Amino acid sequence: MNDVAISNDPKVQTLRQQIEQRLESFAEALPSHITPEQFKAVLVRAAMGDPNLLLADRVSFFEAALAAAIDGLMPDKKEGAMVVYNTKIKDGGKDVWIKKVQWMPMIRGIFNKVYNTGLVKSATVGIVYGGDQFRAWVDDDGEHLFHEEAEDQDRKLIRRIYAQVVMKAGGCYVDTMRTDDIEKVRQSSKNKDSGPWVDWWEEMAFKTVFRHLSKRLPFSREIAPLLDRDNFLYDLAGQARDITPAANRPRGIANRLDALVGIADQSGSQMPMEKLGENEKEKQPARRQESRKPTERRQQDDRQRDDRRDDDRRGESGGDDGRDTGDAAADEAAAYRAGRDARAKEMSRKAIPAEYKKDEALTAAWLEGFDAEGN
């Protein structure tokens, strides 16, 4: 089917109209360099290129689109992608699998945000293959990395995956991981044998090593919400079985993944080099205030999603055929907020309300809220 035929498909036409109705909301979230019309065109093109997007839950489609707009990135499979995955919901007391959409920034989009801080001279990721010359080391002058590709690389052998950020003000941050470290993270994914980890292994490997490095960057809190978009890939519900004392349990999925792999920062510090020696107690109030901004946006997204749930479902299916899939999304959002509230009240992580324990998705949402960065 050619582009003209796809463009004239009734499902595409309906989606185009629904996007048009939401341009004002997208305009409020988009940065100045992306116009609503440009964003609309990319969304339609993404749906035309992936039939699963047209068949997926429409509420989650617009949630993912709004998340992309908030991040200021295009869902063009370069800066980020709209990922379709199967999820289980309750419909009339029965388990039903539906297709939902999730926004997932890609390394190119993440680097765009990194450069937008104005602090970075260069940011790179790479793979060291067999035959390449490679060295990463730390000395009195800081962290260093050297990589020279061989003319005849052995691409069947992956020796390292690395990330490097060089600051304009001086200083360099380096992180490397072996393939078995990456594999441990992949194994913790709920979709380790399908989806992004199969379709874009290199992309996911790059993001994994950069995510680990990002915690040491001076602007780590500015890009953390962007990196946390991948949380949906991992088994947060499984953390309910974690018997580690709460005081010793890593906070946030990035820290939990690092603990799983068993790796530590090469600098031997969880603090950016520029921050060593500063009084962290004096900095804490400003950090907490800044970290609330993504939460406020999430709450605004929840309200907008609830307002549009009914008409999205009618536009997708043409009628009411049981429990609205938007109800599940709203329930998960409520569970997420309840988890954050529980953490704020210093409740135990094991104190998951009974109504959430009955549903794996709600358990995962509550735990994600409880463990959210900036709590």
Side-chain angles (χ1 to χ4, degrees), residues 44 47 65 70 99 115 121 150 187 196 200-201 209 245 301 306 360 374:
V44 173
I70 290 172
K99 294 181 181 297
Y115 283 116
K121 179 179 180 181
Q187 287 294 328
W200 307 315
W201 186 90
V209 67
D301 295 349
D306 294 341
E360 181 180 352

Side-chain angles (χ1 to χ4, degrees), residues 134 136-138 143-145 160-163 173-177 212-213 216 263-270 273:
F134 177 77
W137 73 100
V138 181
E143 301 177 40
H144 310 273
L145 182 145
R160 295 287 192 282
I161 297 90
Y162 67 82
Y173 297 86
V174 175
D175 213 319
T176 68
M177 295 177 72
H212 184 247
L213 172 65
R216 295 194 289 120
I263 55 181
D265 294 326
Q266 293 178 345
S267 68
S269 171
Q270 296 294 324
M273 291 183 181

Side-chain angles (χ1 to χ4, degrees), residues 241-312:
R241 299 185 293 272
D242 189 354
I243 61 174
T244 305
N248 300 328
R249 187 181 300 123
R251 293 185 58 186
I253 189 170
N255 291 330
R256 296 203 295 275
L257 290 176
D258 290 346
L260 172 71
V261 175
I263 55 181
D265 294 326
Q266 293 178 345
S267 68
S269 171
Q270 296 294 324
M271 193 184 308
M273 291 183 181
E274 286 87 341
K275 301 297 182 181
L276 290 175
E278 290 189 3
N279 188 329
E280 286 300 300
K281 291 183 178 179
E282 293 178 358
K283 298 290 183 181
Q284 190 66 20
R287 280 190 180 133
R288 293 187 62 86
Q289 182 178 7
E290 181 177 287
S291 64
R292 292 191 188 104
K293 293 179 182 177
T295 304
E296 294 170 359
R297 280 183 171 177
R298 182 187 291 273
Q299 292 171 345
Q300 181 181 3
D301 295 349
D302 293 340
R303 291 193 294 270
Q304 292 174 340
R305 175 191 55 215
D306 294 341
D307 292 341
R308 296 176 181 133
R309 186 189 311 132
D310 294 337
D311 65 299
D312 284 337

Side-chain angles (χ1 to χ4, degrees), residues 110-123 165-170 217-220 222-223 274:
I110 293 170
F111 278 0
N112 283 349
K113 303 294 283 188
V114 167
Y115 283 116
N116 285 344
T117 64
L119 302 173
V120 173
K121 179 179 180 181
S122 68
V165 174
V166 179
M167 307 298 294
K168 287 183 178 179
L217 299 176
F219 48 87
S220 61
E222 297 178 36
I223 61 173
E274 286 87 341

Side-chain angles (χ1 to χ4, degrees), residues 350-370:
K350 297 180 180 179
I352 304 173
E355 63 267 28
Y356 298 145
K357 285 185 177 180
K358 298 176 183 178
D359 188 288
E360 181 180 352
L362 297 182
T363 298
W366 192 93
L367 289 167
E368 183 180 358
F370 190 92

Side-chain angles (χ1 to χ4, degrees), residues 137-156:
W137 73 100
V138 181
D139 59 22
D140 291 342
D141 295 324
E143 301 177 40
H144 310 273
L145 182 145
F146 172 80
H147 179 209
E148 182 177 348
E149 295 183 356
E151 291 186 5
D152 186 18
Q153 290 178 320
D154 180 3
R155 293 244 166 181
K156 295 182 181 179

Side-chain angles (χ1 to χ4, degrees), residues 14 18 57-59 91 308-327:
T14 298
Q18 292 175 340
D57 171 56
R58 193 54 54 81
V59 173
D91 188 358
R308 296 176 181 133
R309 186 189 311 132
D310 294 337
D311 65 299
D312 284 337
R313 283 286 292 169
R314 284 194 295 271
E316 178 185 9
S317 62
D320 186 3
D321 57 353
R323 183 193 177 199
D324 194 328
T325 56
D327 290 342

